[in-house]
Amino acid sequence: MNLTLKIWRQTGPRAKGEMVTYPVTDISEDMSFLEMLDVLNEQLNARGEEPIAFDSDCREGICGMCGLMISGKAHGPEVTTTCQLHMRSFSDGDEITVEPWRADAFPVIKDLVVDRSSFDRIIQAGGFISANTGSAPEAHSVPVPKPQADRAFMAAACIGCGACVAACPNASGMLFMGAKITHLGELPQGQPERDARVVSMVDQHDHEGFGGCTNVGACSSACPKEIPLDVISQLNRDLRGAMTRGH
């Protein structure tokens, strides 16, 4: 495959960025998108040019580090992570634009790399559960109904990649936050701090500069782990309950 890439280049957080065009040739359809960028970087290194900075780690669709906007879509045309997106999803001769996540709460560090530590601070605001678990308990010591267990596992699948924020026209982090709230809110161990957790996390979310949710649904559609939109409804219910109880 021969492709034309238009890639965002920005030397630093305060530098002015621009789109730069790069032709790439002889790309195998079996390559992942990141492997294709590796090939381009090898060519840039060989020419003495600055390689393109982009995030990656596990390259197995688990860690969420690899988020990119590809031709206007978070992670590209497939519902998966960028590292699991393969070039067979494109056609020979395609022009592909590659940009970093666009959100005030995700400032650009360099090229395609953004600072997503705002997500970490939201998690930190939620604190820890106070239940003393000690060593691994016997599996049946705390009965959890299967629907609640399944929902907790579903929400825990969120990898914090930020695709929800990048896809949302308001740059809202509510799907991410809703998944974290739901994960603990469905389990007995998460109940003692339930009210304080949701209030603190929402306050931190707003402080970081994320937008509000207007139920567009783009976040759930872009989520590589297919977290459903109703976790936001649960977040809102928990927040209303906490406020009613005086938190």
Side-chain angles (χ1 to χ4, degrees):
M1 298 170 60
N2 298 326
L3 304 164
T4 300
L5 304 178
K6 291 189 173 181
I7 299 179
W8 183 258
R9 302 302 309 264
Q10 185 172 337
T11 57
R14 295 178 179 81
K16 182 179 179 180
E18 62 177 349
M19 300 297 290
V20 178
T21 301
Y22 299 98
V24 289
T25 59
D26 298 326
I27 297 298
S28 168
E29 66 176 14
D30 295 323
M31 286 182 180
S32 73
F33 198 86
L34 296 187
E35 287 172 333
M36 181 273 295
L37 291 179
D38 288 337
V39 170
L40 174 58
N41 275 344
E42 289 175 358
Q43 295 173 358
L44 293 176
N45 278 325
R47 298 199 297 263
E49 299 179 30
E50 181 75 14
I52 298 156
F54 63 91
D55 262 332
S56 69
D57 189 7
C58 72
R59 299 204 178 198
E60 294 179 348
I62 298 171
C63 72
M65 288 290 291
C66 58
L68 299 174
M69 289 297 287
I70 300 171
S71 295
K73 294 183 179 180
H75 289 305
E78 310 290 342
V79 182
T80 187
T81 53
T82 302
C83 62
Q84 295 293 292
L85 176 68
H86 289 83
M87 298 312 297
R88 53 181 168 268
S89 298
F90 303 92
S91 300
D92 184 45
D94 276 356
E95 181 178 282
I96 304 171
T97 60
V98 189
E99 303 171 85
W101 289 159
R102 299 293 192 186
D104 286 345
F106 290 159
V108 174
I109 297 174
K110 182 178 181 181
D111 294 341
L112 305 176
V113 180
V114 299
D115 180 359
R116 281 174 291 187
S117 59
S118 52
F119 269 7
D120 297 330
R121 289 188 290 273
I122 290 174
I123 295 295
Q124 289 169 355
F128 300 92
I129 63 170
S130 60
N132 183 12
T133 57
S135 59
E138 199 278 326
H140 299 292
S141 61
V142 182
V144 179
K146 189 175 188 304
Q148 280 70 43
D150 288 345
R151 187 164 168 78
F153 276 117
M154 171 277 297
C158 170
I159 56 177
C161 66
C164 52
V165 176
C168 176
N170 304 325
S172 172
M174 294 286 276
L175 190 76
F176 162 80
M177 192 164 52
K180 303 307 178 185
I181 291 292
T182 301
H183 171 205
L184 292 177
E186 291 289 352
L187 299 175
Q189 295 89 341
Q191 301 313 307
E193 288 82 25
R194 183 169 185 156
D195 287 351
R197 180 185 305 115
V198 66
V199 171
S200 295
M201 291 178 75
V202 169
D203 283 347
Q204 189 66 38
H205 170 276
D206 295 347
H207 175 75
E208 295 291 344
F210 291 101
C213 175
T214 51
N215 292 310
V216 173
C219 54
S220 184
S221 297
C223 176
K225 300 305 176 182
E226 300 181 314
I227 303 296
L229 201 60
D230 65 2
V231 299
I232 298 177
S233 299
Q234 179 157 344
L235 166 63
N236 288 331
R237 287 194 300 270
D238 282 8
L239 181 61
R240 285 194 297 270
M243 300 300 288
T244 299
R245 289 184 287 271
H247 281 268

